[in-house]
Protein backbone atom coordinates (compact mmCIF):
# COMPACT_ATOMS: atom_id res chain seq x y z
CA UNK A 1 0.00 0.00 0.00
CA UNK A 2 2.83 2.32 0.83
CA UNK A 3 4.44 1.62 -2.57
CA UNK A 4 1.21 2.31 -4.45
CA UNK A 5 0.75 5.60 -2.66
CA UNK A 6 4.27 6.77 -3.52
CA UNK A 7 3.75 5.93 -7.19
CA UNK A 8 0.51 7.92 -7.21
CA UNK A 9 2.22 10.97 -5.70
CA UNK A 10 4.97 10.84 -8.37
CA UNK A 11 2.39 10.62 -11.19
CA UNK A 12 0.49 13.66 -9.87
CA UNK A 13 3.69 15.70 -9.69
CA UNK A 14 4.50 14.86 -13.31
CA UNK A 15 0.94 15.76 -14.41
CA UNK A 16 1.10 19.12 -12.62
CA UNK A 17 4.44 19.83 -14.26
CA UNK A 18 3.05 19.10 -17.74
CA UNK A 19 0.02 21.38 -17.27
CA UNK A 20 2.27 24.13 -15.93
CA UNK A 21 4.38 23.93 -19.09
CA UNK A 22 1.28 24.08 -21.30
CA UNK A 23 -0.16 27.12 -19.55
CA UNK A 24 3.25 28.81 -19.61
CA UNK A 25 3.51 28.23 -23.36
CA UNK A 26 0.03 29.62 -23.93
CA UNK A 27 0.95 32.67 -21.90
CA UNK A 28 4.05 33.17 -24.02
CA UNK A 29 1.96 32.90 -27.23
CA UNK A 30 -0.62 35.40 -26.02
CA UNK A 31 2.15 37.67 -24.84
CA UNK A 32 3.59 37.71 -28.45
CA UNK A 33 0.38 39.20 -30.10
CA UNK A 34 -1.50 42.41 -29.48
CA UNK A 35 -5.05 43.41 -30.39
CA UNK A 36 -5.77 46.69 -32.11
CA UNK A 37 -9.10 48.25 -33.02
CA UNK A 38 -10.23 51.46 -34.61
CA UNK A 39 -12.49 53.40 -36.94
CA UNK A 40 -11.81 54.63 -40.47
CA UNK A 41 -13.62 57.80 -41.61
CA UNK A 42 -13.40 60.24 -44.54
CA UNK A 43 -12.91 64.00 -44.52
CA UNK A 44 -16.60 64.47 -43.70
CA UNK A 45 -16.26 62.17 -40.68
CA UNK A 46 -18.42 59.57 -42.44
CA UNK A 47 -17.47 55.90 -41.95
CA UNK A 48 -15.52 54.30 -44.79
CA UNK A 49 -17.01 50.89 -45.47
CA UNK A 50 -14.74 48.19 -46.86
CA UNK A 51 -11.42 49.95 -46.27
CA UNK A 52 -8.46 47.57 -46.13
CA UNK A 53 -6.38 47.48 -42.94
CA UNK A 54 -3.26 45.32 -43.21
CA UNK A 55 0.10 44.86 -41.58
CA UNK A 56 2.84 46.70 -43.40
CA UNK A 57 5.38 43.90 -42.91
CA UNK A 58 2.97 41.18 -43.96
CA UNK A 59 0.04 42.18 -46.19
CA UNK A 60 -1.58 38.77 -45.64
CA UNK A 61 -2.39 39.80 -42.08
CA UNK A 62 -5.31 42.16 -42.46
CA UNK A 63 -9.02 42.86 -42.35
CA UNK A 64 -11.66 45.25 -43.75
CA UNK A 65 -13.88 47.79 -42.01
CA UNK A 66 -17.51 46.98 -41.36
CA UNK A 67 -20.63 49.04 -42.10
CA UNK A 68 -19.72 51.42 -39.27
CA UNK A 69 -16.15 51.82 -40.51
CA UNK A 70 -14.77 49.85 -37.55
CA UNK A 71 -12.17 47.08 -37.55
CA UNK A 72 -10.37 44.68 -35.17
CA UNK A 73 -7.04 43.05 -35.86
CA UNK A 74 -4.54 40.85 -33.98
CA UNK A 75 -0.94 41.41 -34.99
CA UNK A 76 2.43 40.17 -33.67
CA UNK A 77 3.77 42.18 -30.74
CA UNK A 78 6.84 43.27 -32.68
CA UNK A 79 4.74 44.87 -35.46
CA UNK A 80 5.25 48.60 -35.84
CA UNK A 81 2.83 49.93 -38.50
CA UNK A 82 -0.28 49.19 -40.52
CA UNK A 83 -1.44 50.30 -43.98
CA UNK A 84 -4.98 51.66 -44.48
CA UNK A 85 -6.19 52.00 -48.06
CA UNK A 86 -9.40 52.51 -50.05
CA UNK A 87 -10.15 53.08 -53.74
CA UNK A 88 -10.17 56.78 -54.57
CA UNK A 89 -8.39 57.76 -51.33
CA UNK A 90 -4.77 58.18 -50.41
CA UNK A 91 -3.31 55.19 -48.57
CA UNK A 92 -1.84 55.88 -45.11
CA UNK A 93 0.92 54.14 -43.18
CA UNK A 94 0.33 54.57 -39.40
CA UNK A 95 2.06 53.51 -36.21
CA UNK A 96 0.20 50.79 -34.34
CA UNK A 97 -1.84 51.84 -31.31
CA UNK A 98 -4.36 49.81 -29.29
CA UNK A 99 -7.21 52.15 -30.30
CA UNK A 100 -7.02 54.18 -33.51
CA UNK A 101 -9.11 56.67 -35.43
CA UNK A 102 -8.00 57.08 -39.03
CA UNK A 103 -9.09 59.77 -41.49
CA UNK A 104 -8.58 59.06 -45.20
CA UNK A 105 -8.31 61.88 -47.73
CA UNK A 106 -9.58 61.75 -51.33
CA UNK A 107 -7.04 61.14 -54.08
CA UNK A 108 -8.32 63.26 -56.99
CA UNK A 109 -6.10 63.17 -60.03
CA UNK A 110 -7.84 64.97 -62.92
CA UNK A 111 -6.22 65.03 -66.34
CA UNK A 112 -5.84 68.46 -67.86
CA UNK A 113 -8.18 69.10 -70.79
CA UNK A 114 -6.34 70.08 -73.91
CA UNK A 115 -7.32 71.69 -77.21
CA UNK A 116 -5.86 70.30 -80.45
CA UNK A 117 -5.59 73.24 -82.82
CA UNK A 118 -3.92 71.30 -85.60
CA UNK A 119 -0.43 72.74 -85.24
CA UNK A 120 -0.15 72.48 -81.49
CA UNK A 121 -1.76 71.02 -78.39
CA UNK A 122 -2.34 73.38 -75.50
CA UNK A 123 -3.99 73.44 -72.11
CA UNK A 124 -7.64 74.41 -72.52
CA UNK A 125 -7.24 76.96 -69.72
CA UNK A 126 -4.64 78.77 -71.83
CA UNK A 127 -6.70 78.63 -75.03
CA UNK A 128 -8.75 81.82 -75.36
CA UNK A 129 -10.83 80.82 -78.41
CA UNK A 130 -14.13 79.00 -78.71
CA UNK A 131 -13.77 75.29 -79.48
CA UNK A 132 -15.76 72.07 -79.36
CA UNK A 133 -14.29 68.57 -79.27
CA UNK A 134 -16.25 65.61 -80.60
CA UNK A 135 -15.11 62.00 -80.22
CA UNK A 136 -15.34 60.02 -83.43
CA UNK A 137 -17.23 57.20 -81.70
CA UNK A 138 -19.98 59.69 -80.79
CA UNK A 139 -20.14 61.16 -84.31
CA UNK A 140 -19.89 58.03 -86.45
CA UNK A 141 -23.05 57.20 -88.39
CA UNK A 142 -23.55 53.58 -89.38
CA UNK A 143 -24.09 53.22 -93.09
CA UNK A 144 -22.73 56.71 -93.87
CA UNK A 145 -19.21 56.58 -95.24
CA UNK A 146 -18.75 60.34 -95.67
CA UNK A 147 -17.35 61.68 -92.37
CA UNK A 148 -18.36 65.29 -93.07
CA UNK A 149 -22.01 64.33 -92.58
CA UNK A 150 -21.25 62.94 -89.12
CA UNK A 151 -20.98 66.44 -87.61
CA UNK A 152 -24.66 67.19 -88.10
CA UNK A 153 -26.28 68.04 -84.77
CA UNK A 154 -23.10 67.30 -82.78
CA UNK A 155 -21.90 70.82 -81.99
CA UNK A 156 -23.81 73.95 -81.08
CA UNK A 157 -23.74 76.58 -83.80
CA UNK A 158 -22.43 74.21 -86.48
CA UNK A 159 -24.84 73.86 -89.42
CA UNK A 160 -24.60 70.88 -91.79
CA UNK A 161 -26.92 70.88 -94.81
CA UNK A 162 -26.84 67.78 -96.98
CA UNK A 163 -27.65 69.12 -100.42
CA UNK A 164 -27.31 65.70 -102.06
CA UNK A 165 -27.30 62.10 -100.97
CA UNK A 166 -24.67 61.23 -103.58
CA UNK A 167 -21.41 60.00 -102.06
CA UNK A 168 -18.55 62.48 -102.29
CA UNK A 169 -20.75 65.55 -102.62
CA UNK A 170 -19.65 68.19 -100.16
CA UNK A 171 -22.38 69.25 -97.72
CA UNK A 172 -22.86 72.87 -96.75
CA UNK A 173 -21.07 73.19 -93.40
CA UNK A 174 -21.19 76.52 -91.63
CA UNK A 175 -19.35 77.15 -88.36
CA UNK A 176 -19.62 80.94 -88.08
CA UNK A 177 -22.90 81.61 -89.88
CA UNK A 178 -23.96 81.53 -93.51
CA UNK A 179 -23.22 85.14 -94.48
CA UNK A 180 -19.90 86.70 -95.39
CA UNK A 181 -18.84 89.88 -97.18
CA UNK A 182 -16.32 87.76 -99.06
CA UNK A 183 -19.01 85.40 -100.37
CA UNK A 184 -17.29 82.33 -98.93
CA UNK A 185 -18.19 80.98 -95.51
CA UNK A 186 -16.99 77.38 -95.66
CA UNK A 187 -14.67 76.16 -92.88
CA UNK A 188 -11.08 75.03 -93.31
CA UNK A 189 -10.32 71.31 -92.90
CA UNK A 190 -7.10 70.26 -91.16
CA UNK A 191 -6.15 66.57 -90.88
CA UNK A 192 -3.17 65.70 -88.66
CA UNK A 193 -1.66 69.20 -88.98
CA UNK A 194 -2.11 69.19 -92.78
CA UNK A 195 -4.51 71.66 -94.40
CA UNK A 196 -6.80 69.80 -96.79
CA UNK A 197 -7.52 71.85 -99.88
CA UNK A 198 -10.65 71.25 -101.94
CA UNK A 199 -9.98 69.64 -105.31
CA UNK A 200 -12.10 72.40 -106.84
CA UNK A 201 -13.18 75.68 -105.30
CA UNK A 202 -16.96 76.02 -105.37
CA UNK A 203 -19.02 78.94 -104.20
CA UNK A 204 -22.05 78.77 -101.96
CA UNK A 205 -24.39 79.01 -104.95
CA UNK A 206 -22.57 76.27 -106.84
CA UNK A 207 -22.60 74.03 -103.77
CA UNK A 208 -26.36 74.45 -103.47
CA UNK A 209 -26.97 73.81 -107.15
CA UNK A 210 -26.03 70.13 -107.15
CA UNK A 211 -23.75 70.70 -110.12
CA UNK A 212 -21.55 67.81 -111.24
CA UNK A 213 -18.47 69.64 -109.98
CA UNK A 214 -19.66 69.17 -106.39
CA UNK A 215 -18.93 65.44 -106.70
CA UNK A 216 -15.22 66.23 -106.29
CA UNK A 217 -15.54 69.30 -104.09
CA UNK A 218 -15.17 67.52 -100.75
CA UNK A 219 -11.69 67.81 -99.27
CA UNK A 220 -12.10 64.77 -97.02
CA UNK A 221 -14.13 62.30 -99.08
CA UNK A 222 -11.07 60.04 -99.11
CA UNK A 223 -10.89 59.62 -95.33
CA UNK A 224 -12.01 56.40 -93.69
CA UNK A 225 -14.35 57.01 -90.75
CA UNK A 226 -12.73 54.19 -88.73
CA UNK A 227 -9.39 56.02 -88.79
CA UNK A 228 -10.76 59.13 -87.08
CA UNK A 229 -9.99 59.67 -83.39
CA UNK A 230 -11.72 63.02 -82.81
CA UNK A 231 -12.92 66.30 -84.30
CA UNK A 232 -12.07 69.71 -82.86
CA UNK A 233 -14.07 72.65 -84.17
CA UNK A 234 -12.46 76.09 -83.76
CA UNK A 235 -15.34 78.51 -84.00
CA UNK A 236 -14.09 82.05 -83.59
CA UNK A 237 -11.64 84.39 -85.26
CA UNK A 238 -8.73 83.35 -83.03
CA UNK A 239 -8.09 80.48 -85.45
CA UNK A 240 -6.78 83.04 -87.97
CA UNK A 241 -3.70 83.49 -85.77
CA UNK A 242 -2.80 79.88 -86.57
CA UNK A 243 -3.96 79.39 -90.16
CA UNK A 244 -4.32 82.92 -91.47
CA UNK A 245 -7.24 84.46 -93.34
CA UNK A 246 -8.42 81.08 -94.65
CA UNK A 247 -9.64 80.24 -91.14
CA UNK A 248 -11.95 83.24 -90.79
CA UNK A 249 -14.98 80.98 -91.30
CA UNK A 250 -13.85 78.45 -88.71
CA UNK A 251 -11.63 75.36 -88.70
CA UNK A 252 -12.45 71.67 -88.38
CA UNK A 253 -9.43 69.78 -87.07
CA UNK A 254 -9.43 66.02 -87.62
CA UNK A 255 -7.15 63.85 -85.50
CA UNK A 256 -6.56 60.30 -86.70
CA UNK A 257 -5.79 57.28 -84.58
CA UNK A 258 -2.29 56.45 -83.34
CA UNK A 259 -0.57 53.39 -81.96
CA UNK A 260 -0.40 53.06 -78.18
CA UNK A 261 2.60 52.05 -76.11
CA UNK A 262 2.27 48.56 -74.66
CA UNK A 263 -0.89 47.77 -76.64
CA UNK A 264 -1.01 45.66 -79.79
CA UNK A 265 -4.32 44.97 -81.49
CA UNK A 266 -5.98 44.27 -84.82
CA UNK A 267 -9.44 45.66 -85.49
CA UNK A 268 -11.87 44.78 -88.27
CA UNK A 269 -15.09 46.61 -89.06
CA UNK A 270 -17.62 45.40 -91.60
CA UNK A 271 -20.76 47.32 -92.54
CA UNK A 272 -23.50 46.07 -94.83
CA UNK A 273 -26.21 48.59 -95.68
CA UNK A 274 -29.27 47.29 -97.51
CA UNK A 275 -31.37 49.75 -99.48
CA UNK A 276 -34.75 48.93 -100.92
CA UNK A 277 -36.35 50.45 -103.97
CA UNK A 278 -38.73 53.32 -103.26
CA UNK A 279 -42.41 52.65 -103.76
CA UNK A 280 -45.17 54.88 -105.10
CA UNK A 281 -47.27 54.01 -102.07
CA UNK A 282 -44.88 56.18 -100.03
CA UNK A 283 -45.79 59.28 -102.04
CA UNK A 284 -48.99 61.08 -102.95
CA UNK A 285 -48.63 60.68 -106.73
CA UNK A 286 -51.41 60.05 -109.24
CA UNK A 287 -51.59 56.71 -111.03
CA UNK A 288 -52.34 56.26 -114.73
CA UNK A 289 -56.12 56.25 -114.32
CA UNK A 290 -56.09 59.51 -112.35
CA UNK A 291 -53.71 61.16 -114.78
CA UNK A 292 -55.69 60.15 -117.86
CA UNK A 293 -58.86 61.47 -116.21
CA UNK A 294 -57.17 64.86 -115.85
CA UNK A 295 -55.87 64.77 -119.42
CA UNK A 296 -59.36 63.91 -120.75
CA UNK A 297 -60.85 66.87 -118.91
CA UNK A 298 -58.15 69.15 -120.34
CA UNK A 299 -58.83 67.82 -123.83
CA UNK A 300 -62.56 68.47 -123.47
CA UNK A 301 -61.79 72.07 -122.49
CA UNK A 302 -59.61 72.53 -125.55
CA UNK A 303 -56.30 72.81 -123.69
CA UNK A 304 -54.67 69.89 -125.56
CA UNK A 305 -55.09 71.22 -129.10
CA UNK A 306 -53.37 68.95 -131.62
CA UNK A 307 -51.19 71.46 -133.47
CA UNK A 308 -49.85 73.03 -130.29
CA UNK A 309 -49.14 69.83 -128.36
CA UNK A 310 -47.59 67.93 -131.30
CA UNK A 311 -45.04 70.69 -131.92
CA UNK A 312 -44.30 71.76 -128.31
CA UNK A 313 -40.79 71.57 -126.80
CA UNK A 314 -41.80 68.77 -124.42
CA UNK A 315 -44.80 66.47 -124.54
CA UNK A 316 -46.03 63.13 -123.21
CA UNK A 317 -48.78 60.72 -124.09
CA UNK A 318 -50.95 63.19 -126.05
CA UNK A 319 -47.98 64.63 -127.90
CA UNK A 320 -46.88 61.12 -128.89
CA UNK A 321 -50.40 60.30 -130.08
CA UNK A 322 -50.58 63.40 -132.28
CA UNK A 323 -47.12 62.70 -133.69
CA UNK A 324 -48.17 59.17 -134.64
CA UNK A 325 -51.26 60.55 -136.38
CA UNK A 326 -49.02 62.88 -138.43
CA UNK A 327 -46.39 60.21 -139.11
CA UNK A 328 -46.87 59.15 -142.74
CA UNK A 329 -45.24 56.02 -144.17
CA UNK A 330 -44.71 56.59 -147.90
CA UNK A 331 -43.86 52.93 -148.48
CA UNK A 332 -47.27 51.55 -147.67
CA UNK A 333 -49.18 54.80 -147.66
CA UNK A 334 -50.31 54.53 -144.02
CA UNK A 335 -50.05 56.70 -140.90
CA UNK A 336 -48.61 55.66 -137.56
CA UNK A 337 -52.04 55.98 -135.97
CA UNK A 338 -55.40 56.24 -137.71
CA UNK A 339 -57.03 59.57 -136.98
CA UNK A 340 -60.31 58.16 -135.75
CA UNK A 341 -62.14 58.30 -132.43
CA UNK A 342 -61.89 54.54 -131.98
CA UNK A 343 -58.16 54.45 -132.70
CA UNK A 344 -57.42 57.38 -130.36
CA UNK A 345 -59.55 55.90 -127.57
CA UNK A 346 -57.77 52.56 -127.89
CA UNK A 347 -54.37 54.30 -127.68
CA UNK A 348 -55.40 56.39 -124.66
CA UNK A 349 -57.01 53.39 -122.92
CA UNK A 350 -53.76 51.46 -123.23
CA UNK A 351 -51.96 54.33 -121.50
CA UNK A 352 -54.69 54.51 -118.85
CA UNK A 353 -53.96 51.02 -117.61
CA UNK A 354 -50.16 51.15 -118.09
CA UNK A 355 -49.14 52.38 -114.60
CA UNK A 356 -45.41 52.32 -115.35
CA UNK A 357 -43.43 51.81 -112.15
CA UNK A 358 -40.46 54.11 -112.72
CA UNK A 359 -39.10 53.39 -109.23
CA UNK A 360 -38.93 49.69 -109.99
CA UNK A 361 -37.27 50.30 -113.36
CA UNK A 362 -34.73 52.93 -112.31
CA UNK A 363 -33.76 51.68 -108.84
CA UNK A 364 -32.07 48.53 -107.51
CA UNK A 365 -32.25 46.67 -104.22
CA UNK A 366 -28.59 46.95 -103.30
CA UNK A 367 -26.17 46.20 -100.48
CA UNK A 368 -23.42 48.74 -99.83
CA UNK A 369 -20.32 47.20 -98.23
CA UNK A 370 -17.70 49.00 -96.17
CA UNK A 371 -14.77 46.97 -94.81
CA UNK A 372 -11.89 48.33 -92.73
CA UNK A 373 -8.99 46.60 -90.98
CA UNK A 374 -6.37 48.31 -88.83
CA UNK A 375 -3.23 47.33 -86.93
CA UNK A 376 -1.78 49.30 -84.03
CA UNK A 377 1.20 48.54 -81.82
CA UNK A 378 3.90 50.35 -79.89
CA UNK A 379 6.27 50.62 -76.98
CA UNK A 380 8.08 53.41 -75.16
CA UNK A 381 10.40 53.97 -78.12
CA UNK A 382 8.02 53.83 -81.10
CA UNK A 383 4.36 53.58 -82.03
CA UNK A 384 2.80 52.43 -85.28
CA UNK A 385 -0.70 52.43 -86.84
CA UNK A 386 -1.81 51.21 -90.28
CA UNK A 387 -5.21 50.64 -91.89
CA UNK A 388 -6.88 49.57 -95.12
CA UNK A 389 -10.50 50.08 -96.14
CA UNK A 390 -12.73 49.18 -99.07
CA UNK A 391 -16.08 50.80 -99.86
CA UNK A 392 -18.23 49.28 -102.59
CA UNK A 393 -21.63 50.64 -103.57
CA UNK A 394 -23.10 49.01 -106.70
CA UNK A 395 -25.54 51.90 -107.02
CA UNK A 396 -29.03 52.44 -105.70
CA UNK A 397 -30.04 53.98 -109.03
CA UNK A 398 -29.15 53.30 -112.63
CA UNK A 399 -25.82 54.82 -113.76
CA UNK A 400 -24.67 55.34 -110.16
CA UNK A 401 -21.87 53.41 -108.45
CA UNK A 402 -18.97 54.07 -106.09
CA UNK A 403 -15.74 52.26 -105.29
CA UNK A 404 -13.30 53.72 -102.77
CA UNK A 405 -10.03 52.34 -101.41
CA UNK A 406 -7.98 53.96 -98.64
CA UNK A 407 -4.61 53.14 -97.07
CA UNK A 408 -3.24 55.02 -94.08
CA UNK A 409 -0.13 54.59 -91.95
CA UNK A 410 1.59 56.64 -89.30
CA UNK A 411 4.59 56.10 -87.03
CA UNK A 412 5.97 58.04 -84.09
CA UNK A 413 9.58 57.39 -83.05
CA UNK A 414 11.22 58.87 -79.95
CA UNK A 415 14.78 59.66 -81.05
CA UNK A 416 15.68 61.24 -77.74
CA UNK A 417 14.07 62.79 -74.70
CA UNK A 418 13.37 66.05 -76.52
CA UNK A 419 13.20 64.88 -80.14
CA UNK A 420 10.67 62.67 -81.90
CA UNK A 421 10.01 61.76 -85.53
CA UNK A 422 6.47 61.51 -86.90
CA UNK A 423 5.75 59.90 -90.27
CA UNK A 424 2.26 60.22 -91.80
CA UNK A 425 0.93 58.88 -95.07
CA UNK A 426 -2.60 58.83 -96.43
CA UNK A 427 -3.76 57.46 -99.77
CA UNK A 428 -7.18 57.08 -101.34
CA UNK A 429 -8.62 56.08 -104.70
CA UNK A 430 -12.24 56.61 -105.74
CA UNK A 431 -14.06 55.53 -108.88
CA UNK A 432 -17.57 56.91 -109.16
CA UNK A 433 -20.23 57.38 -111.81
CA UNK A 434 -23.40 59.47 -111.78
CA UNK A 435 -26.04 60.60 -114.31
CA UNK A 436 -25.16 63.68 -116.35
CA UNK A 437 -27.27 66.60 -115.19
CA UNK A 438 -27.12 70.36 -115.57
CA UNK A 439 -27.00 72.55 -112.48
CA UNK A 440 -30.24 73.84 -111.04
CA UNK A 441 -31.56 77.33 -111.57
CA UNK A 442 -33.73 79.49 -109.35
CA UNK A 443 -36.32 81.93 -110.66
CA UNK A 444 -35.94 84.95 -108.37
CA UNK A 445 -39.47 86.13 -109.20
CA UNK A 446 -41.48 82.95 -108.62
CA UNK A 447 -38.96 81.13 -106.44
CA UNK A 448 -39.15 78.07 -108.71
CA UNK A 449 -36.11 75.80 -108.62
CA UNK A 450 -35.54 73.73 -111.75
CA UNK A 451 -32.99 72.22 -114.11
CA UNK A 452 -33.15 72.64 -117.86
CA UNK A 453 -31.91 69.07 -118.20
CA UNK A 454 -32.33 66.57 -115.38
CA UNK A 455 -32.00 62.80 -115.69
CA UNK A 456 -31.59 62.08 -112.02
CA UNK A 457 -33.58 58.82 -111.58
CA UNK A 458 -35.36 60.00 -108.44
CA UNK A 459 -36.39 63.32 -109.98
CA UNK A 460 -37.54 61.53 -113.13
CA UNK A 461 -39.61 58.97 -111.19
CA UNK A 462 -41.28 61.67 -109.11
CA UNK A 463 -42.04 64.07 -111.97
CA UNK A 464 -42.84 61.77 -114.91
CA UNK A 465 -46.32 60.53 -115.75
CA UNK A 466 -46.90 56.83 -115.22
CA UNK A 467 -48.87 56.74 -118.47
CA UNK A 468 -45.66 56.73 -120.54
CA UNK A 469 -44.26 53.59 -122.16
CA UNK A 470 -40.71 52.74 -121.04
CA UNK A 471 -39.82 51.55 -124.56
CA UNK A 472 -41.00 54.68 -126.42
CA UNK A 473 -39.29 57.98 -127.13
CA UNK A 474 -41.12 61.11 -126.08
CA UNK A 475 -40.29 64.73 -126.80
CA UNK A 476 -38.06 66.75 -124.50
CA UNK A 477 -36.39 69.98 -125.63
CA UNK A 478 -37.67 69.32 -129.18
CA UNK A 479 -35.75 66.01 -129.34
CA UNK A 480 -36.67 62.34 -128.89
CA UNK A 481 -36.02 61.31 -125.30
CA UNK A 482 -35.91 57.98 -123.44
CA UNK A 483 -34.55 57.86 -119.89
CA UNK A 484 -32.85 54.46 -120.27
CA UNK A 485 -31.09 55.43 -123.48
CA UNK A 486 -30.01 58.64 -121.79
CA UNK A 487 -28.58 56.93 -118.69
CA UNK A 488 -26.62 54.51 -120.88
CA UNK A 489 -24.97 57.28 -122.85
CA UNK A 490 -25.01 60.37 -120.65
CA UNK A 491 -23.10 59.95 -117.40
CA UNK A 492 -20.27 61.41 -115.33
Amino acid sequence: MLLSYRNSVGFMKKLILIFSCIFFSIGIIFAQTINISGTVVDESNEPVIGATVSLKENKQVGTVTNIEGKFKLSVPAKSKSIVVSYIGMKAQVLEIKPVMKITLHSDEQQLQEVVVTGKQTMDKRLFTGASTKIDAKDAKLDGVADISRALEGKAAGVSVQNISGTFGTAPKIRVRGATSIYGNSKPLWVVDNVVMEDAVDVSVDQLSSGDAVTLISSAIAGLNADDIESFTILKDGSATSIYGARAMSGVIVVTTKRGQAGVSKINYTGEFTYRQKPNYSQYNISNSQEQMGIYKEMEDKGWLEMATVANSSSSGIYGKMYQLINQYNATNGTYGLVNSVAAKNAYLQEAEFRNTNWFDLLFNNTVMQNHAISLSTGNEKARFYASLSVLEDPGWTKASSVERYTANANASINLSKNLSLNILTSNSYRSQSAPGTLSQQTDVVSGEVKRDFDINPFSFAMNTARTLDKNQNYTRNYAPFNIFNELDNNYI
Side-chain angles (χ1 to χ4, degrees), residues 238-310:
S238 63
T240 58
S241 64
I242 305 172
Y243 300 102
R246 293 180 300 175
M248 66 175 61
S249 296
V251 181
I252 301 177
V253 180
V254 180
T255 304
T256 61
K257 294 179 180 178
R258 296 285 189 272
Q260 298 180 0
V263 179
S264 297
K265 57 184 178 181
I266 298 177
N267 287 333
Y268 166 76
T269 302
E271 289 187 356
F272 299 86
T273 304
Y274 177 72
R275 289 174 296 191
Q276 287 183 312
K277 299 177 182 180
N279 194 291
Y280 277 110
S281 61
Q282 301 171 330
Y283 307 97
N284 187 18
I285 296 178
S286 302
N287 57 29
S288 293
Q289 290 82 3
E290 294 169 335
Q291 290 173 345
M292 291 306 299
I294 296 172
Y295 294 157
K296 184 61 176 175
E297 183 178 350
M298 294 172 65
E299 181 185 17
D300 294 340
K301 293 181 178 180
W303 294 349
L304 296 179
E305 194 268 330
M306 181 175 179
T308 303
V309 175

Side-chain angles (χ1 to χ4, degrees), residues 300-481:
D300 294 340
K301 293 181 178 180
W303 294 349
L304 296 179
E305 194 268 330
M306 181 175 179
T308 303
V309 175
N311 298 303
S312 63
S313 62
S314 298
S315 62
I317 195 69
Y318 268 81
K320 184 68 174 180
M321 181 181 68
Y322 293 147
Q323 291 169 8
L324 289 174
I325 292 174
N326 292 331
Q327 182 180 340
Y328 177 73
N329 190 341
T331 304
N332 53 21
T334 61
Y335 287 87
L337 183 67
V338 178
N339 188 9
S340 66
V341 176
K344 289 193 294 185
N345 286 341
Y347 181 84
L348 296 176
Q349 187 178 27
E350 183 181 358
E352 181 181 0
F353 294 100
R354 184 168 288 136
N355 271 325
T356 303
N357 191 336
W358 295 113
F359 280 133
D360 187 58
L361 296 172
L362 296 173
F363 285 76
N364 304 307
N365 293 324
T366 60
V367 177
M368 183 181 72
Q369 301 183 48
N370 190 9
H371 303 273
I373 185 170
S374 63
L375 167 67
S376 63
T377 185
N379 51 36
E380 297 300 329
K381 296 293 184 180
R383 295 175 295 168
F384 177 75
Y385 177 87
S387 70
L388 294 171
S389 75
V390 177
L391 170 69
E392 182 177 355
D393 186 356
W396 192 33
T397 65
K398 302 291 185 183
S400 297
S401 64
V402 180
E403 289 183 1
R404 188 194 67 178
Y405 306 90
T406 68
N408 296 282
N410 61 69
S412 179
I413 305 171
N414 297 325
L415 302 178
S416 66
K417 183 178 180 181
N418 299 318
L419 180 64
S420 63
L421 173 65
N422 293 320
I423 302 173
L424 304 172
T425 178
S426 176
N427 305 276
S428 66
Y429 170 81
R430 174 160 58 110
S431 176
Q432 183 171 357
S433 63
T437 298
L438 294 179
S439 59
Q440 72 181 25
Q441 299 174 342
T442 303
D443 189 333
V444 296
V445 177
S446 64
E448 181 185 6
V449 179
K450 63 180 181 179
R451 288 182 173 90
D452 290 335
F453 182 76
D454 185 5
I455 57 172
N456 179 281
F458 187 81
S459 299
F460 185 87
M462 291 290 289
N463 300 309
T464 303
R466 301 182 63 186
T467 59
L468 303 186
D469 187 351
K470 65 177 182 178
N471 299 315
Q472 292 292 327
N473 290 331
Y474 297 90
T475 302
R476 177 180 288 194
N477 295 327
Y478 298 104
F481 176 86

Side-chain angles (χ1 to χ4, degrees), residues 162-238:
N162 296 315
I163 61 169
S164 172
T166 305
F167 178 81
T169 304
K172 283 181 62 176
I173 300 180
R174 297 296 176 261
V175 174
R176 302 191 64 199
T179 58
S180 170
I181 60 175
Y182 297 99
N184 190 355
S185 53
K186 62 182 179 180
L188 184 70
W189 287 91
V190 179
V191 180
D192 290 333
N193 303 342
V194 179
V195 175
M196 304 297 290
E197 302 287 356
D198 291 339
V200 292
D201 192 15
V202 295
S203 66
V204 177
D205 292 336
Q206 288 176 311
L207 192 61
S208 301
S209 69
D211 192 285
V213 75
T214 61
L215 284 175
I216 56 173
S217 62
S218 175
I220 54 168
L223 285 181
N224 177 25
D226 287 302
D227 290 336
I228 307 302
E229 181 71 28
S230 65
F231 299 90
T232 302
I233 302 175
L234 308 180
K235 299 181 180 180
D236 61 1
S238 63

